[in-house]
Amino acid sequence: MTKIAILGANGRLGRVVAKAFIDAGFDVRTVTRTGKVPAEIEGATAVAGDALDRQSLIRATEGVDIIFNGLNPIYTDWGKCLPMAENVMAACHANNALHLFPGTVYNYGSPMPAVITEDTPFHPTTEKGRIRCAMEDLFRREADAGRVRTVVLRAGDFFGGTGSGSWFDLVVAAKINKGAYTAPGPADLVHEWAYLPDFAVGFVALASNLDKLGSYEALNFPGHAVTDIEIKAAAEKALGRSLKMTSMPWWVLRAGSPFVAMWREIVSMSYLRFEPHQLASTRLEGIIGEIPHTPLDQAVAQALEDIGIATVAGTSKAA
């Protein structure tokens, strides 16, 4: 049985990916600082490991065939990203493990290309974009040197899964129980979203088709390239009632950004909410077959349920 270690298993992405690999029959090990398995993950082995401690991480991933790198420090703490990435490379090399990594669209900077393919060149214009590019440069160097094989699967903003911390739960759905849908940008602007259960199944499919992949691959995951108008309509269908369209008060964040570190970091990435973009892939379907894609109405309904918002068909209690 193929063994996979999930780094960042306490995070929203890590939990969903762990479940997908368990469901697919993989031997899953969750690696967290505390060594505790998140309550919703059944069937995984919990191991303690610190991604900022190289030897600790090597020990925690000993004997695995694949390392899924779901590490993602909070927005104000991205100075940890490169040291963590270097330690993950060391752990992969020490254990001869494949490296799976979720990429972002930060690498492309502003102005955003309207359609991003695997051949679109990076042009980072923010510190976070430059950090992400540096991480992927590291991964490619390690692959080219024959030390670590990496597969990057790039996606847009996440929705779906339990927990908090995404634009969907913190902004879009934050006032839905009060009858309001909050658009983070122009309501008719096309924005790239990734429904996490689909994204996770995409990683499983890649891990099951390694014979079709080289030593370094960077692939796009086309998710839901939709407008807030479309997401609002899906939410209204799920709820069985109309919602008022409201806008995120960016002026408040901009005014307070000199004094609030998190607001400053969010404002630095605000262009993503004002420039249309979507991901396209010329290669993914040829590697894994049909790309996982839950219809938008179903995905939005389940995403609302996941964060405790009752839907017409669901059973969740309103948050």
Side-chain angles (χ1 to χ4, degrees):
M1 184 182 295
T2 303
K3 298 179 180 179
I4 181 170
I6 308 294
L7 309 184
N10 276 325
R12 179 189 299 237
L13 174 60
R15 293 196 299 270
V16 176
V17 169
K19 186 177 185 305
F21 274 98
I22 291 169
D23 291 346
F26 286 69
D27 182 348
V28 175
R29 182 184 306 176
T30 57
V31 180
T32 63
R33 284 192 300 272
T34 63
K36 295 180 180 179
V37 179
E40 67 197 70
I41 302 176
E42 296 181 1
T45 301
V47 176
D50 185 348
L52 287 171
D53 182 330
R54 182 166 300 186
Q55 293 308 312
S56 170
L57 192 61
I58 290 173
R59 289 192 298 270
T61 55
E62 184 176 1
V64 303
D65 304 296
I66 302 171
I67 294 177
F68 175 80
N69 182 357
L71 300 168
N72 192 30
I74 62 172
Y75 248 29
T76 54
D77 211 11
W78 269 45
K80 294 178 179 178
C81 287
L82 270 174
M84 284 182 172
E86 290 167 351
N87 290 342
V88 172
M89 289 294 95
C92 288
H93 181 53
N95 292 295
N96 194 29
L98 170 76
H99 177 230
L100 295 179
F101 183 72
T104 75
V105 298
Y106 294 6
N107 307 49
Y108 301 99
S110 177
M112 289 286 287
V115 178
I116 299 167
T117 70
E118 281 102 352
D119 297 323
T120 301
F122 294 162
H123 180 65
T125 53
T126 65
E127 182 61 20
K128 285 179 171 52
R130 286 185 282 272
I131 288 171
R132 276 287 179 157
C133 287
M135 292 169 69
E136 292 188 36
D137 283 346
L138 168 65
F139 302 153
R140 184 180 286 277
R141 290 197 305 272
E142 290 294 300
D144 290 346
R147 288 189 288 265
V148 178
R149 189 180 183 190
T150 284
V151 179
V152 176
L153 188 58
R154 196 176 314 283
D157 275 321
F158 299 157
F159 73 112
T162 58
S164 62
S166 75
W167 281 90
F168 187 82
D169 61 86
L170 292 179
V171 178
V172 169
K175 296 182 179 179
I176 276 183
N177 283 326
K178 297 179 180 179
Y181 176 102
T182 306
D188 60 351
L189 181 139
V190 173
H191 185 84
E192 182 69 37
W193 292 88
Y195 181 54
L196 279 189
D198 290 342
F199 191 41
V201 171
F203 275 110
V204 174
L206 286 169
S208 302
N209 286 278
L210 296 180
D211 58 315
K212 300 177 183 177
L213 298 168
S215 62
Y216 183 86
E217 300 282 0
L219 302 161
N220 288 349
F221 183 81
H224 292 277
V226 294
T227 67
D228 280 294
I229 293 171
E230 292 171 282
I231 299 177
K232 176 176 174 286
E236 289 173 331
K237 183 175 180 179
L239 298 167
R241 65 179 189 272
S242 297
L243 296 170
K244 178 184 177 182
M245 179 73 84
T246 62
S247 299
M248 181 174 169
W250 280 103
W251 69 271
V252 174
L253 273 70
R254 291 191 177 98
S257 61
F259 315 103
V260 182
M262 180 59 79
W263 291 9
R264 182 165 58 251
E265 296 299 324
I266 292 172
V267 167
S268 74
M269 305 302 295
S270 62
Y271 70 91
L272 290 166
R273 295 291 156 183
F274 294 89
E275 297 177 11
H277 60 277
Q278 65 184 90
L279 290 168
S281 179
T282 58
R283 300 189 56 228
L284 186 60
E285 187 171 8
I287 295 167
I288 68 172
E290 185 177 356
I291 298 172
H293 187 82
T294 301
L296 183 64
D297 286 350
Q298 181 183 337
V300 169
Q302 186 58 56
L304 292 172
E305 284 279 319
D306 288 343
I307 58 175
I309 295 176
T311 65
V312 172
T315 57
S316 290
K317 296 179 180 179

